[in-house]
Amino acid sequence: MWCHNNEAFLGTSYVYHSRLGSVSPEYQHRAEYLGNKLNNCTLKIKDLRAADSGTYKFRFETDYHGGKWTGHFGVTLSVSGEDMSPSGVTGAVREGDSVTLTCYTRRCSPTQTKRIWFKNGQPFSLTHTTANTLRFNPVSYGDSGDYACAVKEYRESRSQGFTLVVIYAPKDTSVSVSPSGEIVEGSSVILTCSSNANPPVQNYTWFKTNGAAVWEKGSGQSFLIALIHPPQYAPKDTSVSVSPSGEIVEGSSVILTCSSNANPPVERYAWFKTNGAAVWEKGSGQSFTIAEISSGDSGQYYCEAQNKHAAHNSTTRTLTITGTVRIIQSDMRMDFSRNFVNYLSG
């Protein structure tokens, strides 16, 4: 049996034991006994690690009384792994700076110069390379992580890790709304601000804009709008529609309807007829009816929509009246024969 850093061979875990169940898990599949039971106790350890450094002792036991022996001096093993040091890095670095990580190899033959780099325990994209440096120019926030290196042939013997910390201003800032979907008047809404930054964001500020105007509304990562109400505004998009559409015949009835977008809704509608600079108010209400329309009703009409904020006029709508032709039949009777006789006798 072989033991590692155990002077008295106490315990039940060994580097090698003829009873395989006693071998320490960290040496399983790595330690191989190449000796025999007579005069050779050679032990082979594969994939050396820095933790394998220390004193190894061999012991054998027989079935005879007193048939036990331990090599008291043992064998000392020193494992030198990869040393990695950052070049020009002291603590955290700012995004955009230049950073170089250097991997130093001690007592390594020329055939063992290929390095493999690891980031967060996984092989890095710049993998088998003869260069002993890993350079970030410029360094990005995505380069943050734990880095280690190893000789390609002994990738299990990695260097001690180096943690690269990149600090950067907030980015990818966005706003989420809860609840999502349609917002019903009178409900409450929570706005939440999310941002990616290192160090984390310390202050959040909320603003409301309307064109070029900007108002500061609050602070904190979340902003509550309780009993939300839609914005109020004066009437706009005011227009006039005519029913029935198409040709207007004299003597028929026509209905003019005024439509407008406003909040609060329009409180008053007024109707006007124009002729050049002259303007006459013709009525009120959202609809205006002209019964038994005549040619005198022809002209341009518009409506005015008003709420508590202001009034807004529609564009004019021209009414053209088409007249009717009436044929009046006379009861006059003419006696052409008598008239012709009188003419000759005369």
Side-chain angles (χ1 to χ4, degrees):
M1 63 190 75
W2 279 93
C3 186
H4 179 212
N5 291 337
N6 191 337
E7 292 292 335
F9 277 79
L10 299 176
T12 58
S13 296
Y14 300 88
V15 177
Y16 168 78
H17 200 290
S18 57
R19 296 193 303 268
L20 296 179
S22 299
V23 176
S24 175
E26 63 194 78
Y27 286 101
Q28 288 182 2
H29 310 296
R30 290 201 305 127
E32 180 182 2
Y33 185 69
L34 302 179
N36 53 42
K37 297 183 178 180
L38 297 175
N39 54 9
N40 187 348
C41 58
T42 302
L43 178 71
K44 177 182 178 182
I45 301 177
K46 299 181 294 185
D47 297 331
L48 284 174
R49 305 168 185 173
D52 294 332
S53 297
T55 301
Y56 291 79
K57 293 184 178 182
F58 178 76
R59 176 181 175 86
F60 70 83
E61 299 177 354
T62 68
D63 295 334
Y64 296 100
H65 178 72
K68 301 178 181 180
W69 179 85
T70 301
H72 294 289
F73 295 102
V75 177
T76 300
L77 175 66
S78 177
V79 180
S80 298
E82 299 296 296
D83 293 330
M84 183 176 65
S85 64
S87 173
V89 178
T90 55
V93 297
R94 291 187 176 275
E95 187 174 35
D97 289 350
S98 176
V99 175
T100 300
L101 303 182
T102 304
C103 185
Y104 294 105
T105 307
R106 298 175 180 174
R107 294 184 296 277
C108 196
S109 68
T111 60
Q112 298 173 323
T113 55
K114 286 189 176 181
R115 301 339 190 259
I116 182 170
W117 290 85
F118 298 87
K119 178 183 179 183
N120 298 330
Q122 299 299 320
F124 195 51
S125 57
L126 298 176
T127 175
H128 303 155
T129 174
T130 56
N132 66 338
T133 59
L134 188 58
R135 184 174 177 82
F136 303 95
N137 186 23
V139 69
S140 170
Y141 76 97
D143 297 323
S144 297
D146 294 324
Y147 290 86
C149 66
V151 174
K152 176 184 175 183
E153 291 80 0
Y154 302 99
R155 62 172 60 197
E156 297 300 326
S157 300
R158 301 181 190 177
S159 67
Q160 293 183 349
F162 174 78
T163 301
L164 179 61
V165 179
V166 181
I167 58 177
Y168 51 94
K171 61 180 64 184
D172 304 327
T173 305
S174 62
V175 173
S176 60
V177 181
S178 179
S180 59
E182 184 179 15
I183 299 174
V184 180
E185 183 177 1
S187 62
S188 296
V189 170
I190 299 176
L191 307 180
T192 302
C193 186
S194 301
S195 189
N196 181 12
N198 186 30
V201 175
Q202 297 178 342
N203 298 301
Y204 294 89
T205 306
W206 291 91
F207 300 88
K208 178 182 178 181
T209 67
N210 186 2
V214 180
W215 302 274
E216 183 174 339
K217 300 296 290 184
S219 60
Q221 188 170 7
S222 295
F223 177 62
L224 171 66
I225 305 176
L227 300 175
I228 192 168
H229 295 283
Q232 295 192 355
Y233 48 90
K236 56 184 177 180
D237 306 325
T238 307
S239 63
V240 173
S241 61
V242 180
S243 179
S245 59
E247 185 181 44
I248 302 173
V249 179
E250 186 176 7
S252 62
S253 295
V254 172
I255 300 175
L256 307 181
T257 302
C258 187
S259 300
S260 188
N261 180 12
N263 189 34
V266 174
E267 298 171 353
R268 179 180 181 275
Y269 293 93
W271 290 93
F272 299 88
K273 180 181 180 183
T274 68
N275 185 2
V279 179
W280 301 274
E281 184 170 349
K282 301 294 289 184
S284 61
Q286 189 170 5
S287 295
F288 175 59
T289 302
I290 306 175
E292 297 184 2
I293 197 167
S294 66
S295 59
D297 295 317
S298 297
Q300 293 183 322
Y301 292 79
Y302 69 89
C303 69
E304 178 187 80
Q306 182 178 3
N307 67 3
K308 68 177 184 179
H309 294 292
H312 183 252
N313 294 342
S314 71
T315 57
T316 59
R317 189 69 180 264
T318 301
L319 297 186
T320 302
I321 313 303
T322 302
T324 59
V325 177
R326 296 178 181 177
I327 301 176
I328 302 175
Q329 184 176 0
S330 174
D331 290 335
M332 293 178 60
R333 291 179 296 175
M334 300 181 66
D335 190 341
F336 289 98
S337 298
R338 187 181 61 184
N339 289 340
F340 183 72
V341 171
N342 291 339
Y343 173 78
L344 292 177
S345 63

